[in-house]
Amino acid sequence: MSCRTVILISGSGSNLQAFIDTLHPQQADIVAVISNRADAYGLERAAQAGIPTQVLDHRDFPDRASYDLALAALIDAHTPELVILAGFMRILTAGFVARYHGRLLNIHPSLLPKYTGLHTHRRALEAGDQEHGATVHFVTEELDGGPAIMQSHVPILADDTPESLAERVRATEHRLYPLAAMLYISGRLRLMDGHACLDGNAIAPCGLRLDQFETDMRGHRND
Ligand code: NHR
Ligand code: GAR
């Protein structure tokens, strides 16, 4: 049975594109793409793929609570099982997060718990880090603080700029995010007692490693 999925975006939607390109319709049914910005390029990607789109501009609401109530009403009309934040740039209230407890995922462009919030690539460069990456996590009330599911790692190069580093990280996000979502869709991944669990076992605090997981998958293939 296909997993009804709503994807929230604010911008270019390259992660949305990765979902469209990677997930089979029998696995995930992307029933709607919702953006808080009317000019998000991801809306065109969705339309191109025949996915219904909606825009809900946060500037039309007096506060976060009223925006989040309207957003939840839009989402719930599609009766999704899974809700995906893919470059969605609005902080969500505790009430919203509680409503989708255990079925709301985010991708954050850093090796959490390092660099929560914004401008992660610049901050990793300024700190002189040797590696950087992205984390898929369950969303909780605590900003970028929910249980980690899986991380991708990239080296930081001597001549990197925030832009070049972001591009290298984003290329890994497009493998990382659909794979993590598939673990949820297949029923192997769950949030249990505040822990991200794979096959019923708690995942380490930093999450699974994408490179390790991909190596293991190759080893288990018999073609
Ligand atoms: N909401 C909750 N409750 N918990 C999380 O973990 C969330 C969340 C909402 C979004 C994505 C997150 C990221 O991956 C995310 C995780 C936006 C901001 C932010 O400061 C911070 C983190 C994230 C997304 N947004 C500004 C705001 O005032 C607006 C910035 C803008 O519009 O450019 O909401 O990084
Ligand atoms: C991605 O790199 C994602 O990790 C990051 O924004 C980009 C969205 O790209 N998310 C955040 O910074 C959330 N605050 P996309 O629109 O092309 O998928």
Side-chain angles (χ1 to χ4, degrees), residues 10 36-37 58 64 68 85 87-94 96-97 104-110 112 115-120 135 137-146:
S10 299
N36 67 307
R37 300 181 56 110
H58 58 278
R64 287 183 194 268
D68 281 8
L85 306 182
F88 184 70
M89 294 307 293
R90 298 299 303 170
I91 296 173
L92 298 161
T93 56
F96 182 96
V97 170
L104 181 59
L105 305 184
N106 178 46
I107 189 158
H108 180 75
S110 80
L112 289 172
Y115 313 125
T116 61
L118 305 177
H119 313 300
T120 55
T135 306
H137 65 93
F138 284 106
V139 174
T140 63
E141 199 178 324
E142 190 190 344
L143 187 66
D144 298 325

Side-chain angles (χ1 to χ4, degrees), residues 9-49:
I9 64 167
S10 299
S12 114
S14 70
N15 278 287
L16 163 67
Q17 190 69 55
F19 277 95
I20 292 169
D21 295 342
T22 310
L23 297 183
H24 290 283
Q26 306 101 296
Q27 299 168 326
D29 186 4
I30 306 173
V31 288
V33 168
I34 303 174
S35 173
N36 67 307
R37 300 181 56 110
D39 62 354
Y41 180 62
L43 291 169
E44 286 179 39
R45 298 180 189 271
Q48 198 70 42

Side-chain angles (χ1 to χ4, degrees), residues 2 4 148 160:
S2 190
R4 294 178 66 82
D160 262 330

